Amino acid sequence: MDLGLRDKVVIVTGAGAGIGEATAKLFAEEGSIVIVADLDEKNGRRVEEEIRSKGGKAEFYNLDVSVEREIEGMVKHVVRKYGTVDVLVNNAGIYAKGTVLEVTEEDFKRIIDVNVKGVLFCTKHVAAVMKERGKGVIVNVASEAGLVGIQGQVVYNLSKAAVISITKSCAVDLAPYGIRVNAVCPGTTYTPLVEKALSREKDPEAVRRKLESSRPMNRLGRPEEIAAAIVFLASDLPGYATGAVFSIDGGYTAW
Ligand SMILES: NC(=O)c1ccc[n+]([C@@H]2O[C@H](COP(=O)([O-])OP(=O)(O)OC[C@H]3O[C@@H](n4cnc5c(N)ncnc54)[C@H](O)[C@@H]3O)[C@@H](O)[C@H]2O)c1
């Protein structure tokens, strides 16, 4: 099936690893021009190289999504070089553990800056470009954690609930300009983020098994499965969808 993404200019934040990497690679397979935007230069360049070595079109851009002027600089660069932005995937995100009794101001600020401010300000600058052309698609990567109160990670949960809220507000604000904004809510997916979190546990294997059995499908997600949902939402096929929140979590939020 042709998703109509050939030569579309696509920015994927946090594309240097995990879900973002799989998403960047899938867009490239569809023929898109992918901006691999990441804080991590080594991994970002690796993903750029891997896409190019398979004949895809990719450019790494070193970006911290928590800094507005860096976002502005990236959007200017992309528009100067490629003429526009067709798709933005707000994927970059970080994780922190801790109940409400353990929360620190430092963790709160760090998570909000990346997971919430990053999504809002990337949307602001990219939507300004899309508005001029009267079209564009934005896909935000929220989480199952934004839908329910997963134990022991209050700040991460609230940051992802905010991403869902941003998705709905921006869908309403930007619909008059032909811009669709939707979100995916992945369940626990085996990526470097989850690997790192598991490695801090006393018994990583036991925690992994608990994560698996906490969902009807009894397994973790694969980055490629989340990427497929993102690419589908970014295509014109679900052209009537905006403000939608798509769960892809092995059934975690269904029971
Ligand atoms: N893995 C999961 O189980 C899971 C589940 C639900 C939602 N998510 C969300 O999916 C997204 C991707 O998660 P992942 O598991 O692939 O993470 P990951 O840690 O494996 O990869 C995230 C990438 O984002 C980059 N990044 C981090 N901070 C950045 C910043 N300030 N500016 C630019 N880039 C930055 C990192 O360098 C890294 O390359 C996140 O928003 C995460 O919250 C993940």
Side-chain angles (χ1 to χ4, degrees):
M1 191 189 297
D2 182 11
L3 294 178
L5 291 166
R6 180 156 299 280
D7 293 326
K8 298 282 186 212
V9 180
V10 178
I11 297 175
V12 182
T13 68
I19 292 169
E21 173 177 350
T23 302
K25 288 179 172 173
L26 196 51
F27 273 111
E29 279 173 30
E30 291 298 319
S32 305
I33 300 160
V34 187
I35 313 305
V36 176
D38 206 293
L39 190 60
D40 178 344
E41 179 158 4
K42 190 164 165 258
N43 265 326
R45 291 210 183 277
R46 174 185 57 78
V47 172
E48 174 194 61
E49 190 41 46
E50 285 177 13
I51 291 175
R52 287 183 178 174
S53 70
K54 288 190 168 163
K57 289 160 265 178
E59 177 183 343
F60 167 67
Y61 192 96
N62 199 196
L63 168 81
D64 181 344
V65 295
S66 68
V67 183
E68 186 181 12
R69 69 182 146 68
E70 291 194 19
I71 297 168
E72 235 182 317
M74 173 185 67
V75 175
K76 276 194 185 136
H77 166 79
V78 172
V79 171
R80 213 180 299 123
K81 192 156 174 188
Y82 303 103
T84 191
V85 183
D86 296 294
V87 176
L88 166 67
V89 181
N90 279 312
N91 165 78
I94 53 174
Y95 176 78
K97 245 183 116 151
T99 70
V100 66
L101 300 172
E102 297 154 343
V103 66
T104 64
E105 261 187 310
E106 198 190 347
D107 272 353
F108 181 82
K109 193 175 173 317
R110 197 168 59 88
I111 296 267
I112 295 300
D113 271 359
V114 179
N115 294 10
V116 181
K117 186 182 166 199
V119 172
L120 189 65
F121 284 86
C122 282
T123 301
K124 172 184 167 182
H125 290 284
V126 171
V129 174
M130 292 173 168
K131 181 183 165 203
E132 294 303 312
R133 297 176 64 235
K135 61 176 183 175
V137 189
I138 298 169
V139 183
N140 295 328
V141 181
S143 169
E144 60 188 5
L147 296 167
V148 292
I150 296 176
Q151 197 270 332
Q153 49 179 54
V154 63
V155 180
Y156 182 75
N157 294 347
L158 75 87
S159 76
K160 292 302 182 175
V163 173
I164 293 169
S165 174
I166 291 170
T167 301
K168 294 184 179 185
S169 299
C170 294
V172 173
D173 283 350
L174 300 174
Y177 309 114
I179 304 168
R180 300 191 294 112
V181 188
N182 295 296
V184 292
C185 286
T188 311
T189 301
Y190 203 70
T191 65
L193 180 145
V194 168
E195 212 179 324
K196 215 184 297 163
L198 284 176
S199 71
R200 288 193 209 104
E201 299 288 345
K202 254 187 256 140
D203 186 349
E205 234 349 90
V207 177
R208 185 186 166 122
R209 279 197 299 275
K210 198 173 153 205
L211 284 170
E212 287 169 346
S213 64
S214 67
R215 59 204 70 237
M217 285 178 73
N218 197 26
R219 68 168 175 87
L220 302 188
R222 292 189 285 271
E224 294 73 21
E225 293 171 314
I226 313 303
I230 294 169
V231 169
F232 170 70
L233 285 171
S235 77
D236 286 339
L237 293 181
Y240 195 40
T242 200
V245 179
F246 183 78
S247 284
I248 174 158
D249 61 6
Y252 184 83
T253 51
W255 65 4

